[in-house]
Amino acid sequence: MGRRSKFAVHIAVLAFVVGVAAISGPSASAKNPDPASVSFARLTFSAGTVGPGVSLGTKGLTLSHAAEGTWTSAPQSVPFDFDELVASWNATTPGGSWITIEMAATGSGRTTKWYTMGIWTSDATPAHRTSVGGQGDVDGFVAIDTFIRDKQAAALNSYQIKLTLHAGTASPIVHFIGAMTSAASTYAYPSESRGVVRDDLGVPTYSQEIHKGEFPQYDGGGEAWCSPTSTAMILDHWHAGPSAAELAAFPGATKPDGTPYVDPQVDYAAQAVYDWHYQGAGNWPFNAAYAGNRGLNAFVTRLRSLAEAELFIKAGIPLVASINGRLPGFFFGKTSGHLLTIVGFTANGDVISNDPAVPTDSEVHKIYGRADFEQVWLGGSAGIVYVIYPSTKSLPTNVAGLPHNW
């Protein structure tokens, strides 16, 4: 589905990386996972090294009359030996500008090479919005958007992020850079509900399936567009989706056959997040970067239970979640990688989701059993979520996978 290529690589190592083989089944009693299994850090621009041509202003990093320049973060210590890292960034890239995001890790007396975590622009430019393949070595590899430590490699416990800013006719501005690190952890589910009862938060309902066959150059809609459809729902919830003028420019009013586009903001999102190397619209940080480019705060992290997800719903912040496996009530029965939203919880702790994997918009709003959902979410992606919200909202506190200094 929306993460086909990524999951084909990723599932082969999940048993090692996130302890899926050790995850208990739905009948297990709830317990808290190791709080050190996930960490998120927002990196401080002023603490890093600003290279020639780069300046730090009130809005973030930008170029000062230079074609290119770099910034390198200070070393970021992780309170455990980590197995995976996902970087997130919010930036604006006017005038054909773009950014490159790299990561190097340290541990066990050595420092890895620099791995490219993404090349990104808001423009529909193949060379400047892409993941990079073929980076694997003895220390690890990058599966689309996730650095994964090789299972034979020695431990890693710190990292640095390097940004390269590339000018077009204008300079990019990087507003935020951060990274989630995680290690193998054992989960038992269902988690105990915190008793948060809140319905759909008013999030609109968009079906991915009504777009099947649209824009084959962006992977053709339908099952391939679960991620941009979910992201589009959250953006429209925050009134941050594309304007009428933007939709008139793309995708336009009508399809080639003369019929109107339905929910054209989904087509717009797919074009805006498409990864030309992955050849799909399911790159996790690219979806967050699209939201960040539209004035929202957005990042990718892991949560350790639906009890943590309930804190976001209580704060009025819906989530996009990544699942994999068989889910009772799911339109396709099972998935090898799918994105959907968490928009509320029922009185007994079940998940209220706007799930785009249905034939029509009217069928999007669904309820999934708590244990069933945790099994395909924690057991599928180890709890990956996109957190997308405006600055008027405050993040929950005491959640390990959140930046505490936003």
Side-chain angles (χ1 to χ4, degrees):
M1 290 193 172
R3 296 283 288 185
R4 291 188 305 269
S5 301
K6 166 73 180 287
F7 272 99
V9 175
H10 199 57
I11 292 302
V13 295
L14 268 176
F16 165 74
V17 174
V18 299
V20 168
I23 292 178
S24 303
S27 62
S29 60
K31 72 183 186 72
N32 292 324
D34 177 2
S37 64
V38 61
S39 179
F40 192 103
R42 177 185 177 127
L43 305 180
T44 304
F45 290 136
S46 60
T49 301
V50 179
V54 176
S55 61
L56 176 57
T58 57
K59 294 184 179 180
L61 294 172
T62 189
L63 291 170
S64 53
H65 308 291
E68 185 175 287
T70 62
W71 170 89
T72 305
S73 76
Q76 180 68 41
S77 295
V78 180
F80 50 86
D81 295 335
F82 69 89
D83 301 317
E84 293 198 359
L85 181 147
V86 179
S88 296
W89 57 90
N90 294 167
T92 52
T93 55
S97 59
W98 73 100
I99 62 174
T100 300
I101 303 91
E102 298 173 90
M103 183 280 300
T106 300
S108 307
R110 95 300 193 179
T111 298
T112 71
K113 71 175 184 178
W114 288 100
Y115 298 90
T116 300
M117 302 303 296
I119 302 171
W120 187 82
T121 181
S122 59
D123 296 330
T125 307
H128 298 162
R129 193 188 324 127
T130 183
S131 54
V132 178
Q135 300 187 70
D137 64 3
V138 296
D139 288 312
F141 62 98
V142 177
I144 308 303
D145 49 26
T146 305
F147 169 77
I148 301 175
R149 182 178 65 89
D150 186 274
K151 64 182 180 179
Q152 302 299 326
L156 297 168
N157 52 34
S158 71
Y159 64 89
Q160 289 179 279
I161 298 291
K162 180 166 65 176
L163 295 171
T164 303
L165 285 68
H166 311 268
T169 59
S171 171
I173 304 174
V174 183
H175 309 289
F176 150 76
I177 182 72
M180 181 278 301
T181 47
S182 61
S185 185
T186 301
Y187 298 88
Y189 42 77
S191 61
E192 185 176 352
S193 174
R194 297 176 183 268
V196 175
V197 181
R198 194 159 184 176
D199 203 349
D200 62 9
L201 299 177
V203 178
T205 55
Y206 301 150
S207 161
Q208 68 195 34
E209 295 303 309
I210 64 175
H211 299 278
K212 188 173 183 178
E214 295 175 3
F215 295 100
Q217 66 269 41
Y218 301 125
D219 211 11
E223 294 178 46
W225 281 10
C226 56
S227 185
T229 307
S230 296
T231 299
M233 286 191 268
I234 303 300
L235 261 64
D236 276 2
H237 172 65
W238 297 124
H239 307 290
S243 66
E246 288 173 313
L247 293 176
F250 182 89
T254 60
K255 303 178 187 180
D257 64 5
T259 59
Y261 283 101
V262 179
D263 303 334
Q265 52 271 67
V266 172
D267 301 85
Y268 189 96
Q271 179 267 348
V273 305
Y274 188 77
D275 176 341
W276 267 270
H277 165 70
Y278 166 50
Q279 296 186 348
N283 184 304
W284 294 332
F286 283 15
N287 276 260
Y290 166 55
N293 183 59
R294 302 200 65 83
L296 298 171
N297 297 322
F299 59 93
V300 179
T301 192
R302 283 191 160 110
L303 302 181
R304 300 165 299 162
S305 68
L306 284 173
E308 290 188 337
E310 285 178 289
L311 296 174
F312 288 86
I313 299 304
K314 185 177 181 180
I317 300 173
L319 300 167
V320 178
S322 177
I323 66 170
N324 176 47
R326 185 175 295 278
L327 177 61
F330 181 60
F331 180 72
F332 295 105
K334 64 179 180 179
T335 173
S336 59
H338 179 62
L339 281 298
L340 75 178
T341 68
I342 300 173
V343 298
F345 288 89
T346 66
N348 64 352
D350 290 339
V351 175
I352 302 173
S353 173
N354 281 3
D355 183 353
V358 290
T360 65
D361 285 357
S362 63
E363 300 169 88
V364 167
H365 203 53
K366 304 186 75 170
I367 295 176
Y368 291 117
R370 189 180 187 89
D372 295 331
F373 191 93
E374 284 191 319
Q375 186 168 14
V376 296
W377 175 50
L378 297 176
S381 72
I384 284 286
V385 292
Y386 309 165
V387 182
I388 300 171
Y389 67 103
S391 58
T392 55
K393 290 286 184 179
S394 297
L395 292 174
T397 58
N398 301 319
V399 177
L402 294 184
H404 297 296
N405 59 339
W406 197 290

